[in-house]
Amino acid sequence: MDQVSLSGEGDTTHGVASSVSNLPKLVPSMVLPAQVAVDEPPEPPRIRRPPDLMRLLFETTMMLVVLLLAIPGASTTTGLETDIHNSLTIAPQLFLSTVTLLSNIATAVIPVGLAVERLYRREGRRVADAVIAAAIAYVGAALLNLWIDSDTSPDWLSEVLTRHLNSSTTTPLHVYIVTLIAFLTIIGFGDRPALQTFTWSSVFTYAVATLINGDSALVGLIVTFLFGRSIAFGWRYARGVVNARPTGSDVVMSLFDAGLQPVTCRWIGETDDTRRYEADTHDGRLLDIIVLDRDRQAVGLVYRLYRRIRLRGPAQRRNLLSFRRAVDQEALMSYALRDVGIRTPRLLAVRELSADAALLAYERVEGRTLEKLAPEDLTDELLTRIWQLQHQMQLHQMAHRRFALDSLLVDRDGQVWLLDLRNGEIAASTLQTRLDTAELMATLALRYGPERTVRVGARVLGVDAIGAALPMLQPVVLTRTTRSAVRKSKDLLQHIREQILAYKPQATLAAEPVKLERLKPRTLLTVGAGLVAAYLVLYQLASSKISPASIAASASPWWAIVAVLASFFTYVAAGMVLTGFIPEKLPVVRNFLVQVAAGFVSIVAPAAVGGVALNTRYLQKQGIATGPAVSAVGASQAVGFIMHIALIAAFGFIANTGASGHGGAYAPSTVIIAILLSIAVIVMITVSVSPLRKFAVTRLKPFFEGTLPRLLDVAQNPQKLAIGLGGTILLSLMNALCLWASILAIDPHAHISYPTTAVVFLTAQAVGSVIPVPSGIGTVELAMAGALASIGGLPASVGTPAVFLFRMLRTYLPVIPGYFALTHLQREDAL
């Protein structure tokens, strides 16, 4: 990096030539670099680098993911291996032999050459580490191969990692490749991308050759690569690497190169991504020095990635910058802010310390940060100056993106200085400046209180600017330190909103928070749970040797037709439910199409949410006011919930009586009693525990609010009441019939009654819907297959494909007509 050095009290001096001309001249009284006292804690000879741990976790996780995905996809990988083998054998044999020979030579010669070069450069420890890692990988792979081939290992592990040939089976892990990968990972390529590309290409070619020759399986090769990398990173993290981080002496040398002439240098601590020093110079200045290096940047990488995934574009901070770009960004922000007259410590030098580290030297400004000011120093004049600083940044389209209490420095004269510029934005968008305003309000309210903060902010920025930031006032936009402090100050953000609305009541129209989150933590948990459930279903299908083609080929056509008709009549029943709970007359065909469209909407949103929203929107388009529309849908949901519980109990008694073969006593089975008792216990716990009761009321209130008046209106019309209740019961009966017909389509001789199937459907639907996965994908299949086994006594070879067929008819295939129904209704302005 080129030297950037500033001197004097005037404007910033740009360019290397002018920097050199402004360097202070050396005089005999100045100290030499070796004479500068450096006060810092001793550095260990070897350090454990966080990036190595993160790579170890990543490679290990990927290895587990590959193994898990390979279980249901074993037939697919086998077919892919065959396709690769067949396609490559078409090539001329001489060409294949030549390529294989060259790759063998390259994979043997290059590692030796790299080791010799490292030894010549006196890096014997790195060579020793590479050899030890390779030895561990060799022994580990050999032991794993012995265990996988033994009778004690799971059968699925051998199945996915090996390839069965005519007379033999391949080894699970390729010992030579795993040893080679571990060695190359540790030894490195010395910043030579061309050699690195050629070497890994040779390894890849060698691996493909082993696949063609039948020496390895595809999944086994992938796991081999990941296992070798895991061993290498695990050894490097456990052993540590030679500490090459810049020391205080390196900092001193760089400061001398920049012409700053330090006389003392002191280490003052570390943050998430920086190390900090301070130094006294020969001309009496005090320097604040920030050292950026890749190791420190990696400390908070997981959190930054999480924020990157969770937040939408403009709401994201520049938190995934490379080390080099992070240095450039901070320097650019410093120069830009000073150029427009905003106070920030003067950047005196930017120097590269090594390929992985750089320093930024600032002139010290004596003062205290906002969090350390005494209460008597928190005057309205100081508050006005802070808001004026934000006003200047808005005028020049700059955003700080980290307005925390420790980012605002107040000097001895009461002037405000801006610190921590690494997340700043040049040419910031309106949204980004509003986000800055919102965070600054929250930060200042921690010290000044909401009333003073908003009052002075409205006077400086204007009421409109403060009101425009209201939708951005969300915890998710705050920095970690500010967010933690806000959580301790109960309802602080709500008090700020109330103060803003007192100055600008019109802001009520825009008070709804802007959607800044791409994904909420709950959404991530829901998606993860859905993926796990879907994987378990696929695993069941794979372990049962079942495929959609085999289901279609072996299914009984007559029972399949019954299942299709039952699925069709569920939409008729759903239309009856909607018609029955609304006094107004609704078109029959359009009602039916709305329920078909709900099949498409529910695949992208939880069924209880997507269907409710779609039906409410439809009723509004039919000229029904929002209140009655919501009440009608809520009434149908409330009645459906009650009927669901009643039908579980009713069919439970019927199923047990039929199963006993006697017409006598209604003695419910143990499973049915357990189900009903579980429901009762859950209800009692929810009612008894205050937080759970409040949560249940909050979730259920929108559905049940206004339900009783709506039910009274419907009860005055017996025909409407019969249609509504009849549709509710018919909906459950047709779903149960569809499942029963699906079971008999797979096995016409299956010993399971319709009432038992109804209990299975009603129970599994309730259990699977607890996790709000769209359409219960994965969760319903898992719960239903388990219920068929535990309640119905069906083997997995019948229950799993039957559930798959049922879900195809009721969830996945209806998406296609649902899409066309939705677009048709939208064109007709019915939605």
Side-chain angles (χ1 to χ4, degrees), residues 211-531:
L211 186 63
I212 296 172
N213 295 330
D215 297 330
S216 298
L218 179 60
V219 176
L221 285 175
I222 297 174
V223 173
T224 294
F225 175 81
L226 296 172
F227 181 72
R229 300 270 292 177
S230 299
I231 291 295
F233 291 128
W235 169 252
R236 193 159 71 184
Y237 183 74
R239 168 69 171 151
V241 297
V242 176
N243 188 358
R245 293 195 304 182
T247 64
S249 299
D250 298 320
V251 170
V252 168
M253 288 297 299
S254 293
L255 293 177
F256 266 97
D257 290 342
L260 295 177
Q261 298 296 323
V263 292
T264 61
C265 181
R266 294 172 296 279
W267 181 84
I268 58 175
E270 296 180 342
T271 62
D272 283 346
D273 55 354
T274 64
R275 286 181 291 142
R276 295 180 178 267
Y277 292 83
E278 62 180 11
D280 296 299
T281 64
H282 184 269
D283 55 4
R285 287 182 294 180
L286 185 61
L287 306 182
D288 283 322
I289 302 158
I290 298 174
V291 176
L292 298 176
D293 61 56
R294 297 186 196 276
D295 287 350
R296 298 305 307 172
Q297 274 198 315
V299 171
L301 181 60
V302 174
Y303 175 77
R304 294 196 294 270
L305 284 172
Y306 165 74
R307 296 278 294 183
R308 192 77 173 182
I309 295 171
R310 182 179 175 187
L311 298 181
R312 296 178 181 271
Q316 299 170 352
R317 295 183 178 89
R318 289 182 179 269
N319 50 12
L320 289 182
L321 294 177
S322 65
F323 154 73
R324 180 69 61 181
R325 288 189 60 196
V327 175
D328 294 343
Q329 181 71 16
E330 179 159 354
L332 175 63
M333 279 296 298
S334 178
Y335 295 146
L337 289 172
R338 289 188 65 84
D339 189 62
V340 298
I342 295 176
R343 289 182 177 84
T344 185
R346 177 174 295 173
L347 182 59
L348 300 176
V350 182
R351 303 289 297 183
E352 183 181 66
L353 295 174
S354 67
D356 296 325
L359 69 78
L360 299 99
Y362 290 93
E363 191 172 43
R364 168 72 64 87
V365 176
E366 295 295 339
R368 291 175 293 172
T369 57
L370 194 60
E371 63 182 339
K372 296 180 179 179
L373 288 180
E376 59 270 16
D377 296 326
L378 299 173
T379 63
D380 281 0
E381 181 182 3
L382 175 60
L383 184 58
T384 300
R385 289 175 178 171
I386 296 173
W387 278 119
Q388 287 173 344
L389 182 148
Q390 169 62 2
H391 181 58
Q392 284 181 280
M393 295 191 70
Q394 286 186 350
L395 288 177
H396 295 93
Q397 289 189 320
M398 296 182 186
H400 184 265
R401 306 310 311 277
R402 196 190 175 278
F403 267 129
L405 289 171
D406 57 353
S407 299
L408 296 167
L409 181 74
V410 181
D411 64 16
R412 296 171 180 173
D413 298 327
Q415 300 298 329
V416 182
W417 297 71
L418 200 54
L419 308 177
D420 292 333
L421 312 177
R422 281 179 299 287
N423 294 312
E425 303 276 357
I426 303 294
S429 66
T430 302
L431 176 61
Q432 289 169 332
T433 57
R434 289 176 179 174
L435 288 169
D436 257 14
T437 302
E439 180 167 21
L440 185 58
M441 272 194 289
T443 298
L444 293 176
L446 291 170
R447 298 303 317 269
Y448 282 92
E451 191 279 330
R452 290 176 70 188
T453 298
V454 175
R455 171 169 51 82
V456 177
R459 188 174 70 240
V460 176
L461 296 185
V463 175
D464 292 338
I466 293 293
L470 178 59
M472 316 293 171
L473 204 60
Q474 306 173 44
V476 71
V477 307
L478 307 177
T479 59
R480 273 190 285 185
T481 54
T482 305
R483 189 164 59 246
S484 300
V486 166
R487 285 173 182 165
K488 296 176 183 178
S489 302
K490 190 175 180 181
D491 298 328
L492 179 67
L493 296 183
Q494 181 58 34
H495 293 326
I496 297 174
R497 295 187 187 101
E498 293 171 356
Q499 292 298 321
I500 294 174
L501 293 176
Y503 281 90
K504 188 176 177 61
Q506 300 89 337
T508 307
L509 301 176
E512 186 69 23
V514 174
K515 188 172 180 59
L516 301 174
E517 292 178 284
R518 182 185 287 113
L519 295 172
K520 294 184 178 180
R522 180 184 173 186
T523 307
L524 294 174
L525 179 63
T526 298
V527 172
L531 291 175

Side-chain angles (χ1 to χ4, degrees), residues 723-737:
I723 293 175
L725 293 178
T728 302
I729 296 174
L730 184 63
L731 183 60
S732 296
L733 294 180
M734 287 298 102
N735 274 304
L737 178 59

Side-chain angles (χ1 to χ4, degrees), residues 703-777:
F703 297 111
F704 291 91
E705 194 173 30
T707 295
L708 184 59
R710 174 59 55 180
L711 289 176
L712 294 176
D713 292 340
V714 173
Q716 297 175 8
N717 188 337
Q719 183 180 1
K720 284 282 187 181
L721 183 61
I723 293 175
L725 293 178
T728 302
I729 296 174
L730 184 63
L731 183 60
S732 296
L733 294 180
M734 287 298 102
N735 274 304
L737 178 59
C738 184
L739 177 59
W740 190 49
S742 298
I743 295 171
L744 295 177
I746 299 299
D747 182 7
H749 305 292
H751 297 289
I752 184 170
S753 65
Y754 174 76
T756 302
T757 306
V759 173
V760 169
F761 165 76
L762 295 169
T763 304
Q765 189 74 15
V767 173
S769 300
V770 170
I771 301 176
V773 177
S775 289
I777 296 175

Side-chain angles (χ1 to χ4, degrees), residues 28-58:
S29 60
M30 290 184 180
V31 297
L32 298 176
Q35 299 172 322
V36 176
V38 178
D39 181 13
E40 66 177 344
E43 285 282 345
R46 301 183 73 93
I47 57 173
R48 292 187 174 93
R49 300 173 64 242
D52 291 333
L53 177 60
M54 295 176 63
R55 289 167 181 161
L56 169 62
L57 295 176
F58 175 78

